Amino acid sequence: MFLNAGNLAGRAVPRAFAKTLAFPAIRTLATVSPINPGSRGHKVVVIGGGSAGLAISHQLLHSGKFSQDDIAVVDPAEWHHYQPGWTLVAGGLKTKEELRRRLETLVDPKLKLYNVGVNAFAPEENSVSLSNGDKISYEQLVVAPGVSVDFGSVKGLPEALEDASSLVSSVYGFNYCDKVFRNVDQLKKGTAIFTQPAGVIKCAGAPQKVMWLALDHWKQAGLYKPQNVSESPIKITFATGLGGMFAVPKYSSVLEGFRKERGIEGLFQHDLVAVDGNTATFARPDGQEQVTRKFDLLHVVPKMGPHAFVKNSALANEAGYVDVDDGTTQHKKYPNVWSAGDASSLPTSKTAAAVTAEAPVLVRNLLLARDGKQPDAVYDGYTSCPLLTEYGKVLLAEFKYGGVPKETFGDLLGVDQAEPRRAFYHLKKSFFPWVYFNSMVKGTWGGPKGWIN
């Protein structure tokens, strides 16, 4: 989701970018369409009003090929959240309230918003059953509802999160992301454990971002001494169900270096399965005995996966994700079905940045298919993770399929993005949230390609 400086030539940067982000001026609100038993069909139905759903539906609208209500968006949510910003909340840099908008204010009035959930898909008859029992039909279907965060995947976690007095938190929920910084600020001594599960999660760098910011906070408070951990009031452990720090070798080696330099204990292939009081229990691979650890602060990343209405449908692959071609985003069995974002089977990291590259490919190919032509746009797996490594610095990881780096500024300016930089920090903290609400969800931001349409 990155800025190509070449796209700024001759373009004035809006004054809002330089200000502390707050709620932007709200335009005329979209009318939330009621669900009526006789609802007509639509040329395109987009399931999901998140990053992917809104970007795709608005890019389709901007093509000029659709009239009022030709495109429908289906999502039961009242609020749309800029979830990449929750790590900023965890670091005390933002409030969670400034990173959300009412969904209906982000949907163009020319789109029809069904503010309800999905019950089931019927791809053989080109229809979708809604949670209130109604059906809508489509010519083309885009499935982009994101994934579900399963707090119940860790025994005892829901209760610990709800307990305001517990030092257990998670950045992966609106109700809990602000608890992270409160807990970090409250801890004065003891053992802090930061976890990451095995399996697919949204923004795989977030578990580390929270840890690096916490470490820097304690360092500045004199509670953590990276060069003399034995004398530090606070000790830090990173427990991950994975075998390394990051999936991309280039960035993983740098992050592993930081872990060692900063005195963080690494527990690899340790998958958190239970929380009981101040005890964390980890599963080990291949039937090895479980490991228990005492903690004074615990940051938990629960397991995630596809929503049941996707997983249990004819559209899903064996893992439960919408089964689409890695390049074209077109469904492998149903040619009028498409998917992007976290719900798709695209084998790349699940980030908002990935959506900026996926959406234009999906939109072009869907429009070609409507005209009876073969899809010709190809998604190369581009995704990104702006890794906060301390206050004021970000390691800007950008890569494509196969874990191959694809760095915007490396190609443009010859800089090594594996080196944390202050300029990247300002992108993460200020520019990305601004461009997200003012451009990306409106279908006019193309990530490394800059503004589109």
Side-chain angles (χ1 to χ4, degrees):
M1 190 176 170
F2 302 104
L3 174 65
N4 184 329
N7 293 106
L8 281 180
R11 189 185 298 273
V13 178
R15 286 181 295 173
F17 169 53
K19 299 178 180 179
T20 300
L21 294 179
F23 286 83
I26 296 177
R27 58 173 174 76
T28 303
L29 303 186
T31 301
V32 181
S33 302
I35 311 298
N36 298 316
S39 294
R40 66 179 178 85
H42 301 276
K43 291 183 178 179
V44 182
V45 170
V46 178
I47 306 299
S51 301
L54 289 186
I56 291 166
S57 58
H58 286 105
Q59 286 183 31
L60 287 169
L61 187 63
H62 297 330
S63 72
K65 298 180 181 293
F66 300 95
S67 301
Q68 180 72 43
D69 293 347
D70 278 350
I71 303 170
V73 177
V74 181
D75 195 304
E78 177 184 2
W79 295 96
H80 176 106
H81 300 274
Y82 177 60
Q83 295 182 39
W86 286 349
T87 50
L88 299 172
V89 177
L93 297 167
K94 297 280 187 186
T95 66
K96 63 184 183 181
E97 289 79 13
E98 69 184 288
L99 297 172
R100 69 174 183 172
R101 306 287 186 271
R102 291 191 181 276
L103 177 59
E104 64 184 55
T105 70
L106 300 178
V107 178
D108 192 285
K110 292 183 180 179
L111 303 173
K112 185 167 184 178
L113 174 62
Y114 291 96
N115 206 192
V116 294
V118 170
N119 186 41
F121 297 106
E124 300 292 350
E125 60 183 56
N126 297 324
S127 69
V128 179
S129 298
L130 304 178
S131 57
N132 68 344
D134 292 332
K135 285 187 178 182
I136 52 175
S137 60
Y138 58 82
E139 295 177 11
Q140 302 285 331
L141 175 67
V142 178
V143 184
V147 292
S148 175
V149 179
D150 184 9
F151 292 104
S153 63
V154 177
K155 184 179 179 182
L157 177 60
E159 296 80 5
L161 290 174
E162 291 295 338
D163 182 356
S165 65
S166 80
L167 289 181
V168 178
S169 63
S170 178
V171 77
Y172 278 90
F174 178 79
N175 291 336
Y176 313 119
C177 62
D178 54 345
K179 188 183 182 187
V180 179
F181 185 70
R182 292 199 303 270
N183 285 2
V184 168
D185 192 47
Q186 182 180 341
L187 187 69
K188 304 304 178 185
K189 64 178 181 178
T191 298
I193 301 178
F194 297 83
T195 76
Q196 179 165 350
V200 176
I201 63 172
K202 295 188 285 186
C203 188
Q208 284 186 62
K209 297 177 192 180
V210 175
M211 179 180 69
W212 298 128
L213 289 178
L215 183 156
D216 203 27
H217 178 82
W218 292 323
K219 178 182 174 182
Q220 293 177 30
L223 299 172
Y224 190 76
K225 303 173 183 179
Q227 306 307 323
N228 194 359
V229 175
S230 62
E231 294 186 6
S232 295
I234 293 175
K235 307 294 189 296
I236 302 175
T237 297
F238 183 57
T240 173
L242 307 176
M245 294 294 286
F246 202 71
V248 179
K250 174 180 179 177
Y251 306 121
S252 184
S253 62
V254 173
L255 294 166
E256 174 66 4
F258 288 161
R259 183 189 71 78
K260 292 179 178 178
E261 290 170 10
R262 299 175 185 182
I264 298 172
E265 179 190 22
L267 294 180
F268 297 102
Q269 295 187 318
H270 281 63
D271 204 2
L272 183 68
V273 293
V275 177
D276 183 9
N278 68 336
T279 301
T281 300
F282 299 90
R284 299 280 285 128
D286 303 324
Q288 296 179 41
E289 187 176 353
Q290 291 186 334
V291 172
T292 60
R293 284 293 189 98
K294 297 292 184 181
F295 64 84
D296 298 283
L297 180 148
L298 180 68
H299 178 265
V300 181
V301 179
K303 291 186 180 296
M304 303 172 202
H307 293 286
F309 68 87
V310 173
K311 183 177 182 178
N312 299 328
S313 76
L315 304 179
N317 63 10
E318 290 183 359
Y321 296 95
V322 184
D323 195 16
V324 294
D325 182 86
D326 294 351
T328 65
T329 75
Q330 186 177 38
H331 198 275
K332 294 179 179 179
K333 181 178 180 181
Y334 304 101
N336 65 334
V337 176
W338 313 79
S339 184
D342 296 351
S344 75
S345 64
L346 298 172
T348 192
S349 292
K350 298 184 181 299
T351 69
V355 171
T356 66
E358 295 166 3
V361 170
L362 186 155
V363 168
R364 174 172 173 79
N365 287 339
L366 186 154
L367 294 175
L368 286 171
R370 286 186 73 241
D371 293 337
K373 301 176 182 178
Q374 287 296 315
D376 63 10
V378 177
Y379 172 59
D380 66 359
Y382 172 82
T383 188
S384 178
C385 182
L387 273 154
L388 289 148
T389 57
E390 60 188 279
Y391 285 99
K393 287 189 178 181
V394 160
L395 183 159
L396 192 51
E398 289 182 281
F399 49 99
K400 58 183 180 179
Y401 285 145
V404 177
K406 185 182 180 182
E407 299 181 344
T408 301
F409 297 99
D411 296 339
L412 186 69
L413 303 174
V415 301
D416 184 0
Q417 292 182 195
E419 179 184 341
R421 298 174 186 271
R422 182 167 294 277
F424 297 155
Y425 172 78
H426 291 301
L427 288 178
K428 167 67 177 176
K429 181 176 181 290
S430 300
F431 181 72
F432 290 159
W434 179 87
V435 81
Y436 181 85
F437 282 118
N438 287 276
S439 189
M440 181 178 167
V441 294
K442 296 180 179 179
T444 58
W445 176 247
K449 296 181 178 179
W451 279 273
I452 58 179
N453 295 321

